[in-house]
Amino acid sequence: MLKTIVQPLLAWYEENKRELPWRKEKNPYYIWVSEIMLQQTRVEAARPYFERFIVQLPTVEALAKCPEERLLKLWEGLGYYNRVRNMQKAARCVMEEYDGRLPADAAALKRLPGIGDYTAGAIASITWDLPVPAVDGNVLRIWARLTASYDDILRQSVKQRAVKELAAIMPKEGSGNLNQAFMDLGSSLCVPKGQAGCERCPLAFACEACKKGLIAELPVRKKPVPRRLEAYTVLIIRDGSRVAFRRRSGEGLLAGLYEFPNLQGHAAGEDVLAFLREQGLEPLYIERLEPAKHIFSHIEWRMEGYLVRVAALEDGQAGDWIFADIQTAEREYPLPAAFSAYTSYINIRLGPAGPGKEDD
Ligand code: SF4
């Protein structure tokens, strides 16, 4: 189905393409600079910055040699200064590895600092007409509407599918124009939030969202659910050569795995000592450890830790805590990676994921 849009879109582009300073000639450096500027800036706002930048730094070599202060001054007003710092790093690589000429190869372009799939596709297709797509948020919006896809375009797997489907329709000649046609269509007609100019769109004949009246609903962009923060105080409790472990509940996160005893929240040293005495232990020494965090898909643990030495226990048991030497623990009490920041203090290897899941 998508194949049928290629010729009508190319014809529309010939009639409607925007006159932009970086389109005057097929110079890969100009395309590159413009695409980096356009990552966070509208076309009209970027135009004067581009013209000034190219007059001051007309070549990759000039960019590579530019003193940082002058470079940042040229970028002043565009923000996100890492973009231009990366561009200069990439320019230096191009001087060293490619004799000052950007490589005519999307994969090689992607290895340069600050150049991702989209920018590499734009440079390679617009300059050398290589048949690679350049898929950004605008193109994903058009793709989701054309195919009436309700899949979340913020998901990597959905983006990959769109890239694959668009790569399959890249013509042998004219892929640069096709990518630019998508860019122009996305900024003039297939705009976000239900304002699309479908009645003037050259793709309306093939557009499922237009035919089914779904434009206001598409594309779907689900905001990622924020992670829940949980605070713990992790206790590495030593009784001579043994260390205390506890089995986690058989339900929920890391079910059935073992852990170091811990308290909910971030406890002060004296609270830890009082807690240990309540468990029938006799603390002899306490040392605060480095804080650590572990990220699960929906939960983030923020941990603080203490190493505590306690007087030797006769039976190696305190409540549901088991005191075991390191070898036994490695064999029988698998610890999940969430505790990796603290295992180094006792030189114990993490256990296999065991019966519970490592992620939630
Ligand atoms: S017909 Fe409308 S929704 Fe479909 S691609 Fe064109 S502008 Fe976008």
Side-chain angles (χ1 to χ4, degrees):
M1 187 278 284
L2 282 177
K3 237 182 171 42
T4 62
I5 68 169
V6 174
Q7 290 313 322
L9 188 51
L10 286 172
W12 175 85
Y13 179 69
E14 277 310 313
E15 292 285 309
N16 296 282
K17 65 181 160 210
R18 291 174 290 180
E19 296 296 328
L20 298 170
W22 48 89
R23 285 184 177 171
K24 286 187 185 143
E25 56 182 286
K26 288 188 176 182
N27 181 325
Y29 175 63
Y30 291 4
I31 308 295
W32 177 32
V33 172
S34 69
E35 289 299 342
I36 299 296
M37 285 185 174
L38 291 172
Q39 280 172 9
Q40 311 281 349
T41 312
R42 285 178 305 106
V43 166
E44 283 318 312
R47 194 191 284 259
Y49 284 99
F50 173 83
E51 285 169 337
R52 194 175 50 148
F53 194 93
I54 291 301
V55 168
Q56 301 273 332
L57 303 174
T59 59
V60 173
E61 184 177 6
L63 170 58
K65 289 181 175 163
C66 182
E68 188 179 34
E69 210 171 301
R70 190 170 151 229
L71 188 63
L72 298 181
K73 195 82 197 145
L74 274 174
W75 204 260
E76 206 171 71
L78 286 167
Y80 303 94
Y81 287 90
N82 265 349
R83 287 185 292 167
V84 71
R85 286 199 180 96
N86 275 334
M87 227 165 48
Q88 186 171 54
K89 277 190 212 151
R92 288 173 180 160
C93 292
V94 172
M95 292 307 297
E96 277 175 26
E97 293 175 33
Y98 301 104
D99 205 18
R101 280 188 287 271
L102 280 153
D105 171 13
L109 287 167
K110 269 194 287 185
R111 286 196 289 274
L112 295 169
I115 297 188
D117 290 341
Y118 168 79
T119 308
I123 298 170
S125 65
I126 297 170
T127 315
W128 301 288
D129 213 21
L130 297 175
V132 272
V135 179
D136 66 354
N138 285 320
V139 179
L140 283 171
R141 180 172 64 251
I142 300 171
W143 169 83
R145 288 175 171 172
L146 285 170
T147 58
S149 167
Y150 274 84
D151 293 329
D152 176 6
I153 60 164
L154 296 182
R155 272 176 38 215
Q156 201 52 27
S157 58
V158 175
K159 185 175 174 191
Q160 279 167 355
R161 200 169 80 234
V163 167
K164 198 169 160 202
E165 290 180 13
L166 292 166
I169 65 163
M170 286 289 127
K172 283 209 177 73
E173 279 176 26
S175 58
N177 282 351
L178 191 66
N179 283 332
Q180 291 179 99
F182 274 120
M183 295 172 195
D184 288 10
L185 191 83
S187 72
S188 62
L189 294 179
C190 200
V191 292
K193 304 207 174 84
Q195 305 294 321
C198 304
E199 64 292 342
R200 286 172 289 133
C201 178
L203 309 185
F205 75 97
C207 180
E208 292 299 315
C210 179
K211 288 182 202 165
K212 295 173 182 163
L214 305 173
I215 290 129
E217 295 171 30
L218 294 173
V220 172
R221 295 161 62 93
K222 288 194 191 127
K223 288 211 177 79
V225 184
R227 286 195 189 99
R228 192 174 75 235
L229 296 184
E230 294 183 357
Y232 293 101
T233 302
V234 176
L235 306 178
I236 300 177
I237 306 164
R238 304 206 67 156
D239 143 28
S241 62
R242 297 181 300 183
V243 182
F245 300 93
R246 176 171 72 182
R247 188 158 201 189
R248 290 179 64 82
S249 135
E251 301 284 319
L253 188 63
L254 307 177
L257 295 183
Y258 286 82
E259 64 181 0
F260 295 120
N262 53 75
L263 297 167
Q264 279 190 0
H266 290 156
E270 45 285 17
D271 296 332
V272 169
L273 294 175
F275 170 71
L276 293 175
R277 288 188 190 107
E278 276 170 28
Q279 311 304 309
L281 298 170
E282 190 188 333
L284 305 173
Y285 164 87
I286 185 165
E287 177 189 340
R288 196 185 183 116
L289 305 176
E290 288 292 314
K293 68 178 175 187
H294 187 81
I295 295 173
F296 302 92
S297 53
H298 301 303
I299 300 175
E300 181 172 328
W301 281 1
R302 299 269 174 93
M303 295 172 282
E304 293 190 350
Y306 289 92
L307 176 67
V308 190
R309 286 197 177 275
V310 296
L313 288 163
E314 278 183 15
D315 55 1
Q317 195 88 22
D320 60 349
W321 300 355
I322 307 152
F323 281 77
D325 60 55
I326 304 296
Q327 289 78 15
T328 311
E330 282 180 348
R331 216 173 41 243
E332 295 179 25
Y333 309 127
L335 280 173
F339 294 100
S340 59
Y342 294 108
T343 50
S344 57
Y345 290 103
I346 53 169
N347 220 2
I348 186 174
R349 282 175 303 175
L350 294 168
K357 287 197 346 220
E358 182 54 71
D359 212 339
D360 58 330

